[in-house]
Amino acid sequence: MLQTFYPGEYVNSTYQIDFDSLYQKGYRGVIFDIDNTLVRHGEPADARAKKLFAHLKKLGFACCLLSNNKEPRVAMFNKDIKVCSIHKAHKPRTGSYKKAMQLMGTDVGNTLFVGDQIFTDVWGANRTGIHTILVKPIHPKEEIQIVLKRIPEKWILHCYQRWLTHNVRRERTKR
């Protein structure tokens, strides 16, 4: 049951993801959360984010920003990035993930989702059938409703780590 909240992958930072390798594996679309995934909460796109999106476009990835924030926040970040975007996405509802894939011209088999929250980002993408990459939040300062969600997230991540360890051990014994 908890596995519906488990990410496909869990990494320290969006900026450590090997997108070149993922492109070689056949992925063609990346849906991103913005706040605490790409930049600190409320900040515009910084040089690192601009460089990342330029690289993704050069590789051939279609990208979409998927945020529960209002349009002005998403537009401010997207001003220099210039990718498709959806504001007021109502994550974890699956409709916005499907709309993002439609905008990018991708499907569940060749789309990734990158975000920092389990109960919105990962859960919604998992329910849609998209491969998920959970990243650690960029900065600990967050709105109170997110801070409160981080408490059960820690427990789920603990269970996820135990599940991974168990599966690795099981694979070793099969060999």
Side-chain angles (χ1 to χ4, degrees):
M1 169 156 156
L2 280 181
Q3 291 178 7
T4 192
F5 297 109
Y6 293 173
E9 301 175 48
Y10 183 39
V11 299
N12 286 328
S13 169
T14 300
Y15 301 100
Q16 294 177 344
I17 297 170
D18 185 355
F19 287 103
D20 295 61
S21 174
L22 292 166
Y23 191 85
Q24 290 174 354
K25 290 178 181 177
Y27 290 102
R28 295 298 180 261
V30 187
I31 305 170
F32 287 97
D33 176 52
I34 300 171
D35 288 327
N36 253 347
T37 297
L38 293 164
V39 293
R40 289 170 59 157
H41 183 77
E43 290 186 353
D46 58 14
R48 188 167 64 160
K50 292 174 190 177
K51 182 179 176 182
L52 172 65
F53 280 93
H55 180 69
L56 292 171
K57 290 175 185 178
K58 184 178 177 185
L59 284 173
F61 274 108
C63 299
C64 186
L65 304 172
L66 188 65
S67 177
N68 285 345
N69 279 305
K70 295 178 181 173
E71 193 273 335
R73 165 66 186 123
V74 176
M76 179 201 16
F77 180 85
N78 200 21
K79 179 180 157 212
D80 295 323
I81 301 296
K82 295 181 175 47
V83 296
C84 62
S85 64
I86 299 171
H87 62 278
K88 288 184 165 181
H90 302 288
K91 295 181 288 183
R93 293 183 187 168
T94 60
S96 57
Y97 296 86
K98 293 173 184 174
K99 182 177 178 184
M101 289 186 288
Q102 182 182 12
L103 290 171
M104 294 187 301
T106 61
D107 58 45
V108 296
N110 64 4
T111 303
L112 304 162
F113 185 90
V114 180
D116 70 297
Q117 293 186 56
I118 289 175
F119 294 117
T120 53
D121 300 330
V122 171
W123 189 32
N126 282 348
R127 288 173 50 225
T128 308
I130 300 169
H131 181 73
T132 53
I133 303 176
L134 177 68
V135 298
K136 292 182 180 175
I138 289 174
H139 193 268
K141 185 178 183 214
E142 298 177 297
E143 297 171 339
I144 188 66
Q145 70 270 17
I146 296 170
V147 171
L148 294 174
K149 285 191 270 184
R150 296 290 186 199
I151 297 166
E153 277 188 1
K154 286 179 185 176
W155 180 74
I156 288 174
L157 286 172
H158 171 75
C159 294
Y160 169 70
Q161 295 294 348
R162 288 183 59 187
W163 177 80
L164 282 178
T165 302
H166 175 74
N167 283 342
V168 168
R169 282 187 197 142
R170 189 171 45 183
E171 286 300 314
R172 285 183 188 155
T173 59
K174 285 182 180 178
R175 294 182 200 167

